[in-house]
Amino acid sequence: MLFVIGVAGPSAAGKSSVVERIVSAIGSHQCALLCLDSFYHGLPPGCDPLEYDFDSPNAFDFESCAAAIKELALGKSVSLQSYDYVTHQRCGPEITLPSGTEVLILEGILTFYHEKVRELLHLKVFVDEDADVCLCRRIQRDVVQRGRSVESVLAQYEKTVKPALDNFINPQKRLADIIIQRGVENVIAIDLLVKHIAVKLEQRGLNRLYTNLHEMPLTGQV
Ligand code: CTP
């Protein structure tokens, strides 16, 4: 039976790095990654990206996301077109999640927001970080990787990113099973999380696949 881990949190909070750490502990074998951004509705034709709200729940196709998770849970494979942040369309390289996937990690700003997706998650992890740290990282990332200007990143932050943080993203904390402050720097929280995942996989008889989990030493003192 598919075990689904949802990872939510503010933009540029370090969600991807926490996910990488979990995957390296579990082992990439049979562990698939799905990004909620792969379910963005494309930017409507003629719409100015500076006027569009990419942080609103309305920007995402949660129904298709839930359908993809259900397909994987049935043991089927799923193919998706990845999202391109430069063209604002689902036109990036195709991603295929293989049939027989046993652990799925779904990552995104609004992973717990929609009931139809949320009810498919077995574990909900919220990665938290100070808003100013997120903004600094976001400026660097969007300028270098997403082809944006500093002015446009700041205008977007004020207009849509910060309101969504307050209205939709941070309220998900009350739905989380675990809140990880300071992202991958928080080695104790990540160790505890990985140990918990190991227990859950063991209960499902999946421990044979995840030898890394048993070999992983605790890196912090509790
Ligand atoms: N976004 C954008 N332009 C688009 C689509 C999305 O600027 N065409 C922005 C949204 O404003 C949203 C962010 O992308 O806030 C979502 O990506 P984010 O969570 O920042 O990316 P990750 O790399 O997953 O974050 P993290 O650093 O936490 O790993």
Side-chain angles (χ1 to χ4, degrees), residues 65-82:
C65 179
I69 298 172
K70 285 180 184 166
E71 285 291 289
L72 285 170
L74 289 172
K76 298 182 182 171
S77 72
V78 167
S79 291
L80 306 157
Q81 213 69 32
S82 61

Side-chain angles (χ1 to χ4, degrees), residues 22-33 98-104 201 206-213:
I22 298 171
V23 172
S24 71
I26 295 177
S28 52
H29 180 61
Q30 296 294 336
C31 177
L33 295 183
S99 57
T101 293
E102 310 227 37
V103 179
L104 174 70
L201 297 183
L206 297 175
N207 53 327
R208 66 197 149 73
L209 296 170
Y210 307 109
T211 47
N212 293 2
L213 286 170

Side-chain angles (χ1 to χ4, degrees), residues 36-43 59-62 64-65 80-85 87-93:
L36 187 65
D37 293 4
S38 299
F39 299 94
Y40 261 123
H41 296 295
L43 183 70
F60 293 92
D61 179 358
F62 291 105
S64 295
C65 179
L80 306 157
Q81 213 69 32
S82 61
Y83 187 78
D84 183 299
Y85 298 92
T87 59
H88 314 284
Q89 302 294 340
R90 291 191 216 167
C91 62

Side-chain angles (χ1 to χ4, degrees), residues 7-19 35-37 40-41 43 49 52-56 59-60 83-89 107-110 127 134 137-138 141-142 145-146 148 153 156-157 160-161 164 169:
V7 178
S11 169
K15 301 180 292 298
S16 318
S17 307
V18 168
V19 167
C35 190
L36 187 65
D37 293 4
Y40 261 123
H41 296 295
L43 183 70
Y52 188 79
D53 187 351
F54 293 103
D55 292 74
S56 160
F60 293 92
Y83 187 78
D84 183 299
Y85 298 92
V86 176
T87 59
H88 314 284
Q89 302 294 340
E107 181 252 326
I109 53 173
L110 292 170
V127 177
C134 293
R137 286 191 193 144
R138 182 165 166 134
R141 181 200 62 196
D142 283 6
Q145 295 173 19
R146 297 187 181 177
R148 314 280 169 86
V153 177
Q156 184 187 11
Y157 186 80
T160 57
V161 177
I169 299 169

